[in-house]
Amino acid sequence: MLNRITPIVLNIIIINVIVFVGLMFVDKVNPDIRDYFVLHKSNVFGLRNTAVVGHNEVYLPAYSPVEGKSGWVHVLDSEASLDQYLSAYRETTGESLDCPRRPDQSPRRQIVTHFFNHSETSLFHILFNMLALASIGPLIEMVLRSQRFLKFYLFCGVAGGLMVAFLDPANAPVVGASGAISGVLVAFAIYFPKQKLSFFFLPGIESRYLVTGIGVISALLVFLDWVGVNLGAAGMLSHFGHLSGMLAALLFFYAGRYIPFLNA
């Protein structure tokens, strides 16, 4: 496999490994650095009741009931910074109402950094993602050529991250390249629809059917999570992140001509 890995795929894998190993060491010196590689979610649209930081739900939504006032009052004022609006959560520590969560936990920069990071508690997370990328990524890079493939991969990661940050009904933060790699999987199904792929214990399935099935299952799991069904271990995965990466890939291929920087 290693002798056929293309340049961009190889460099993406190297960057992911460097970030994964680097954060393991940096964590011991300054744990806050990891926050810059974790996609915390915004509540600027008021879609969530709480946010998860670490293992605690410690923030209230952007709109909060205030004693002595009718209705729901926005936490932030008109002069709030971009970071504050992206976060749009209030701390529950009894501080003043207009105290947003820390700016370095807003999703602005993490929309780019989060998909180069992986869970520090599961080696399987990065191994599976990098194996998937090494397996199908080179074919897509050869089809698109390296420069366009890099644009495609970054677009899937960033566009998918934007959807996750602002629209994901789940409140847990997200890390991992799964969204961008889901986009690469969609590209594989577009260019090689009848090529069979194996997925875990499943026998070879034509990529067009496999990818469609993964998309449908991800959408179903997102819905079940949204309505409050306990998904158990499956709930630890970002199904919305997978779905967002797939949607980003479709946007790239079928609407990319209308996005100037994708055609530069």
Side-chain angles (χ1 to χ4, degrees):
M1 178 185 296
L2 291 177
N3 63 353
R4 68 177 183 86
I5 292 184
T6 44
I8 299 301
V9 169
L10 178 60
N11 280 284
I12 290 172
I13 292 174
I14 290 172
I15 292 171
N16 276 269
V17 172
I18 289 174
V19 171
F20 180 77
V21 175
L23 287 178
M24 290 177 63
F25 289 100
V26 173
D27 249 1
K28 302 180 186 302
V29 179
N30 184 1
D32 290 339
I33 295 295
R34 187 172 290 276
D35 253 351
Y36 288 89
F37 294 86
V38 176
L39 181 58
H40 295 277
K41 295 170 183 176
S42 171
N43 200 37
V44 71
F45 297 131
L47 300 179
R48 305 178 186 89
N49 293 321
T50 60
V52 176
V53 175
H55 299 289
N56 303 311
E57 296 186 29
V58 295
Y59 296 103
L60 292 176
Y63 290 86
S64 180
V66 180
E67 185 177 354
K69 296 185 178 181
S70 61
W72 289 61
V73 177
H74 199 286
V75 172
L76 303 175
D77 59 33
S78 59
E79 297 181 356
S81 69
L82 175 62
D83 279 325
Q84 292 169 346
Y85 267 113
L86 287 174
S87 300
Y89 283 104
R90 178 169 72 88
E91 294 194 34
T92 61
T93 57
E95 299 178 25
S96 62
L97 182 65
D98 61 351
C99 177
R101 73 185 194 182
R102 285 176 17 220
D104 64 345
Q105 289 181 333
S106 78
R108 182 169 64 174
R109 61 183 67 85
Q110 289 92 327
I111 286 170
V112 176
T113 59
H114 82 281
F115 59 95
F116 291 102
N117 182 25
H118 288 81
S119 171
E120 73 275 19
T121 61
S122 173
L123 186 61
F124 177 79
H125 189 206
I126 187 171
L127 285 177
F128 177 78
N129 277 345
M130 296 303 100
L131 179 61
L133 180 60
S135 299
I136 62 176
L139 285 172
I140 305 306
E141 183 175 343
M142 286 187 282
V143 171
L144 295 178
R145 304 300 182 189
S146 293
Q147 184 178 5
R148 185 160 174 78
F149 175 77
L150 179 59
K151 282 186 179 182
F152 169 68
Y153 186 87
L154 294 177
F155 179 80
C156 288
V158 171
L162 283 168
M163 291 184 229
V164 169
F166 293 100
L167 301 177
D168 188 354
N171 57 7
V174 170
V175 296
S178 301
I181 294 171
S182 294
V184 176
L185 193 59
V186 168
F188 190 93
I190 290 173
Y191 287 110
F192 307 101
K194 296 185 178 181
Q195 178 67 43
K196 290 186 176 181
L197 292 173
S198 296
F199 186 73
F200 285 114
F201 57 86
L202 297 176
I205 302 174
E206 289 186 9
S207 62
R208 54 182 172 173
Y209 299 131
L210 178 63
V211 173
T212 300
I214 292 173
V216 170
I217 292 172
S218 294
L220 177 61
L221 290 171
V222 168
F223 174 76
L224 292 176
D225 186 45
W226 180 55
V227 297
V229 175
N230 185 355
L231 300 178
M236 298 174 65
L237 301 175
S238 177
H239 303 293
F240 192 90
H242 299 161
L243 192 61
S244 296
M246 299 176 83
L247 292 173
L250 294 175
L251 183 63
F252 181 93
F253 287 115
Y254 296 110
R257 67 175 71 104
Y258 304 110
I259 304 175
F261 68 86
L262 292 182
N263 297 305

